[in-house]
Amino acid sequence: MTDIVGPANAPNTVTARPAETRIFGAADTWFQDCSSGTANDGTRVMAAWLNAVIASLRQTIRANGNLIAGGAVVSEDNSDAMFANAIQYLIQRGQPTYGDDTGTANNVVVTLNPAPKEYKKGMTVVATIAANNNGASVINVNGLGAKAVTRSDGTPLQWGDLLAGAMQAFVYDGSKFQLAWLQRVPGQPIYLQASRDYFVSNSGSDGNDGTTLQAAWATLQYAASYLTRFNLNGYSINVHVADGTYAAVRLPNMAGSGFVRWIGNHAAPSNCTIAGNGVTAISAQNCGGAHSFDGFRLTATGAYTTDPMCGVNCSGNGTNLTLTNIDWNVCSGSHLGVTQAGVVTYAGNMIVSGAPQGSNAGMTVGCHVFCGDGGIIQVPSLTTVTLTITVPITLGNGGAWVECFYLGFCQIVYAAITGAGNVTGKKFFVTGNAIISVAGAGDGHYPGTIAGTRQSGGIYE
């Protein structure tokens, strides 16, 4: 340590600070000059005052402490820059705002030096986290009391928002601390701690947060992409879709057990349309078993690219899609295609308001249901499914109402059919050791004007 800011080698200096001799009152005091050159009425400069100034300067200069490698952060060279450097280093090195977390999971405890007197709006605290959080969390700074920590949108922290060993910044907003540096291991999902609701509307914007109808997203695909950040963790995400027309959506594979419920207009599905332009309206390929749709009209038209342009195309082992109150409108391919071990479950009533045309190279026959390559279509026991066909339709290019092939299994039994006479075409076609089960309802169960056919080991029962 070097003598800094002191009287140095001036006569009569001492190396131990003398006792304080000043007496302080309630009012601030100031120096004044002598009233004239001969008067002796100016303020006397006491050694105690000068020593206090020296001590304050020294304390500030040395507040930065020492370098890790040794030696003072601020060079004690008695240059004019020492005090300015000290202030700049204090800011640069973050010493007044940093402290190690000494708490536990969900309970951050930080001690700052100097100790803050109170929580103040704008106050920033930086800490190295001691333990991963697993949900809503609080922070307590220098014993001032626990305050909630939230994300910047005001929602509680989720699992993994605080990671042991990570540096996090907390900013006080007047009532709680907001997490300023949201960190997560790359690719690590957010584990839900409760079910969530999001909203999509034609009047929304994909720049919104989607958490209310007033802050809805605009597209289903943005919603689908956003949801991939979550592990469902046994909970559900409900995506509420307002009446309108929306572009096609490709469903993501969700981590964790739980459900993603896409909720349109249950009472009037024709008011909430998903329209594929050159693509399938709902593409469910290798996306797991989380997704369900309730209350949508589906249509897929436009110029052919490489897509079969179905209302729903479900494929891939482990893919399980649940459909309720679906209005099947005009599709360039088939209404529903299920292949490659995909599974579709009918959980409610169905409406047909447009024909499956089978008019593109990816789907050359127009079937209401096209099931094969180990695909499964099923109706759970005790579930009642009715069918309403609202307009005359022709199954395109020799398609059948239900076509099942190559180890496919289709079990669709309608409790009632309204408008069966509107359908022109074959009732069913089953081949390649596939099975169509109507629970004994007979060859005439499905609508159509042409009798169904069995071939090559296909079973209709």
Side-chain angles (χ1 to χ4, degrees), residues 118-454:
E118 63 178 355
Y119 291 129
K120 182 70 173 176
K121 189 173 183 179
M123 173 182 178
T124 300
V125 177
V126 179
T128 299
I129 301 302
N132 293 348
N133 79 309
N134 54 29
S137 302
V138 297
I139 184 172
N140 193 335
V141 181
N142 288 79
L144 292 176
K147 292 290 184 179
V149 180
T150 70
R151 293 179 167 188
S152 59
D153 62 1
T155 59
L157 298 190
Q158 300 297 313
W159 184 97
D161 282 348
L162 300 179
L163 299 175
M167 295 189 68
Q168 303 281 10
F170 307 84
V171 181
Y172 192 63
D173 65 7
S175 62
K176 62 186 181 300
F177 279 89
Q178 295 186 21
L179 187 60
W181 301 344
L182 182 58
Q183 297 187 26
R184 187 171 294 105
V185 174
Q188 185 181 66
I190 302 166
Y191 281 70
L192 292 184
Q193 302 301 310
S195 294
R196 293 193 176 197
D197 292 273
Y198 290 101
F199 297 82
V200 181
S201 170
N202 284 162
S203 61
S205 167
D206 288 343
N208 291 336
D209 65 14
T211 56
T212 65
L213 183 58
Q214 293 71 32
W217 294 317
T219 65
L220 302 180
Q221 193 58 61
Y222 182 85
S225 298
Y226 184 91
L227 300 186
T228 60
R229 67 189 60 196
F230 298 112
N231 183 304
L232 295 173
N233 197 30
Y235 295 96
S236 297
I237 296 176
N238 302 310
V239 183
H240 303 272
V241 184
D243 287 356
T245 300
Y246 301 88
V249 60
R250 178 176 290 271
L251 302 180
N253 190 13
M254 298 296 298
S257 63
F259 300 96
V260 177
R261 298 186 176 98
W262 301 82
I263 304 168
N265 190 324
H266 180 87
S270 62
N271 290 344
C272 194
T273 299
I274 304 176
N277 182 10
V279 295
T280 291
I282 299 174
S283 181
Q285 298 177 327
N286 300 303
C287 65
H291 298 278
S292 66
F293 283 78
D294 181 359
F296 292 90
R297 168 175 278 183
L298 306 179
T299 182
T301 58
Y304 171 72
T305 53
T306 59
D307 189 283
M309 284 188 278
C310 298
V312 172
N313 186 14
C314 176
S315 66
N317 189 25
T319 300
N320 194 328
L321 183 66
T322 301
L323 303 176
T324 305
N325 282 45
I326 298 299
D327 180 348
W328 304 94
N329 198 247
V330 176
C331 291
S332 176
S334 291
H335 283 147
L336 170 62
V338 184
T339 59
Q340 298 174 16
V343 178
V344 167
T345 301
Y346 277 16
N349 301 329
M350 298 291 154
I351 301 168
V352 173
S353 60
Q357 298 172 337
S359 58
N360 67 73
M363 183 69 69
T364 58
V365 293
C367 305
H368 174 61
V369 169
F370 183 83
C371 179
D373 296 326
I376 297 174
I377 304 172
Q378 61 187 3
V379 176
S381 61
L382 305 180
T383 299
T384 298
V385 175
T386 64
L387 172 64
T388 301
I389 305 164
T390 61
V391 297
I393 67 168
T394 298
L395 302 170
N397 288 334
W401 186 260
V402 174
E403 180 170 319
C404 202
F405 60 97
Y406 301 131
L407 301 177
F409 177 79
C410 180
Q411 180 203 39
I412 300 176
V413 183
Y414 300 112
I417 299 177
T418 301
N422 284 328
V423 178
T424 298
K426 183 176 288 190
K427 293 177 180 293
F428 67 86
F429 175 72
V430 59
T431 186
N433 298 311
I435 299 174
I436 298 176
S437 174
V438 293
D443 284 15
H445 181 63
Y446 294 135
T449 55
I450 302 172
T453 57
R454 307 167 178 83

